[in-house]
Amino acid sequence: MGHKVHPYGFRLGVIYPWKSNWYAKRDYAEHLHEDIWIRKHIRSRLTRAGISSIDIERKGDQIWVFIRTARPGIVIGRKGVEVDRLRKDIERYTKKRVDVKVEDMNQASSEVRPETDAALLAQGVAEQLVGRVAFRRAMRRAVQTAMRSGALGVRVATAGRLGGTEMGRKEWYREGRVPLHTLRAKVDFGTAEARTTMGAIGVKVWVYHGDEVPYREQETERARARATARARGGGGARPTPRADAPAEPASVEAPPEPALSESVAPPAADAAPVETPVPVEPSAPAETSAPAETSAAAGETPAAGETPAAEPPAAGDTEGGDA
């Protein structure tokens, strides 16, 4: 209890990179003090320039200084006079070649907007306290500005002789959520100091921008999702194929089997035979005996119910008997 940890240093190497990128063995202490002096000198010379962060890179005897600011015109100056002055001061102190680069936070490519940057919010509250604005109004205004600009959570704390009281105290406001114990939570932290007539008032601001999943954990989740889909037999959502993967050959569908007609279906083995009724033809009139003669001559049996016609006598036969 009571051991406060810096939100940026707590997540350093997990989701946040280093603000000083260089390597040294014997000259480590010298380089470290040079970086501290560079940051302090730039902030003291450009107090109202809205500087968010200062990154430093080294390679041999070359130093690159990257200044992220919301007011690049003040940092650059007219015709680049202010930048040249800063570069000459740093070169005179470090005895090395220096290159100063200014990054504008108002551009669309910037990750963090000036309205949601913790350092700029703290500086704004400190400037209002110096201008004798009520500390509660200044804190609420900072919280509302950050929340309207897309922040998921904001906390602002001030400590000192607030309102000119005899005894110093601490006041803070919070809106949304600020998970300080979660390593993947992107929590921006900034501090500022207001020099008032009643004494110094410190300002701290925490801004929560959401979670950032580490790259290794993302790969693990993708592999787990692929294994689950494979175990289900492709029942779930099909993974999106990679661009460099060869396309799968199209499957050839087999032709459909012809359907059996109902008329040619064989009857069941245990089914009883069905007797087909024979149609009965009407008897022909007596005058017409040609069909009967034709059928008799052909050797066909007359149908049931029909009377066979009498055969004519032979040529040698007579009615009277034998000749």
Side-chain angles (χ1 to χ4, degrees), residues 20-39:
S20 294
N21 298 321
W22 46 267
Y23 176 79
K25 290 185 177 179
R26 297 182 180 179
D27 302 334
Y28 183 86
E30 181 181 353
H31 293 349
L32 178 61
H33 286 287
E34 286 179 358
D35 290 358
I36 295 174
W37 184 89
I38 290 172
R39 291 189 172 92

Side-chain angles (χ1 to χ4, degrees), residues 19 37 50 73 80 95 121 127 151-152 164 171 191 251 262 284 298 305:
K19 293 186 178 181
W37 184 89
K95 305 297 189 295
L121 290 174
E127 292 178 2
L152 301 180
E171 294 282 345
T191 60
S251 59
E262 297 180 358

Side-chain angles (χ1 to χ4, degrees), residues 95-176:
K95 305 297 189 295
K96 299 176 182 178
R97 294 181 302 169
V98 179
D99 187 9
V100 179
K101 298 182 179 180
V102 181
E103 298 179 3
D104 188 6
M105 297 181 60
N106 297 314
Q107 297 179 355
S109 59
S110 180
E111 297 181 359
V112 181
R113 305 294 299 171
E115 295 82 6
T116 59
D117 188 83
L120 298 183
L121 290 174
Q123 294 176 16
V125 174
E127 292 178 2
Q128 295 180 43
L129 294 178
V130 173
R132 302 203 176 199
V133 177
F135 69 95
R136 289 191 178 90
R137 180 180 301 176
M139 295 167 64
R140 290 175 182 172
R141 187 179 302 173
V143 170
Q144 293 175 1
T145 301
M147 293 300 292
R148 290 174 183 173
S149 301
L152 301 180
V154 184
R155 181 186 178 188
V156 180
T158 56
R161 296 183 61 183
L162 302 176
T165 58
E166 291 288 336
M167 185 177 295
R169 68 183 189 278
K170 181 180 179 179
E171 294 282 345
W172 61 275
Y173 286 95
R174 183 182 63 188
E175 187 172 347

Side-chain angles (χ1 to χ4, degrees), residues 258-279:
L260 297 177
S261 176
E262 297 180 358
S263 60
V264 300
D270 56 349
V274 180
E275 297 180 358
T276 305
V278 178

Side-chain angles (χ1 to χ4, degrees), residues 67-266:
I67 303 175
R68 298 182 68 252
T69 175
R71 303 172 184 174
I74 299 178
V75 179
I76 297 173
R78 182 172 297 180
K79 298 182 180 180
V81 176
E82 195 63 33
V83 172
D84 293 339
R85 189 177 303 172
L86 285 175
R87 181 177 55 80
K88 292 179 181 179
D89 292 345
I90 298 174
E91 287 180 350
R92 190 181 306 111
Y93 179 81
T94 59
K95 305 297 189 295
K96 299 176 182 178
R97 294 181 302 169
V98 179
D99 187 9
V100 179
K101 298 182 179 180
V102 181
E103 298 179 3
D104 188 6
M105 297 181 60
N106 297 314
Q107 297 179 355
S109 59
S110 180
E111 297 181 359
V112 181
R113 305 294 299 171
E115 295 82 6
T116 59
D117 188 83
L120 298 183
L121 290 174
Q123 294 176 16
V125 174
E127 292 178 2
Q128 295 180 43
L129 294 178
V130 173
R132 302 203 176 199
V133 177
F135 69 95
R136 289 191 178 90
R137 180 180 301 176
M139 295 167 64
R140 290 175 182 172
R141 187 179 302 173
V143 170
Q144 293 175 1
T145 301
M147 293 300 292
R148 290 174 183 173
S149 301
L152 301 180
V154 184
R155 181 186 178 188
V156 180
T158 56
R161 296 183 61 183
L162 302 176
T165 58
E166 291 288 336
M167 185 177 295
R169 68 183 189 278
K170 181 180 179 179
E171 294 282 345
W172 61 275
Y173 286 95
R174 183 182 63 188
E175 187 172 347
R177 54 187 297 262
V178 183
L180 298 179
H181 289 211
T182 307
L183 286 176
R184 68 178 60 188
K186 294 189 294 183
V187 179
D188 193 11
F189 179 71
T191 60
E193 188 176 351
R195 300 280 183 173
T196 64
T197 55
M198 294 296 176
I201 298 178
V203 182
K204 294 182 180 180
V205 177
W206 295 262
V207 181
Y208 175 52
H209 295 287
D211 294 344
E212 181 175 348
V213 181
Y215 177 77
R216 294 182 179 179
E217 190 168 346
Q218 292 180 1
E219 292 296 330
T220 304
E221 291 295 334
R222 294 194 189 100
R224 186 178 302 172
R226 289 194 295 266
T228 304
R230 196 179 300 110
R232 293 179 179 178
R238 189 171 184 179
T240 304
R242 298 182 302 174
D244 56 347
E248 297 182 359
S251 59
V252 180
E253 298 182 358
E257 298 181 358
L260 297 177
S261 176
E262 297 180 358
S263 60
V264 300

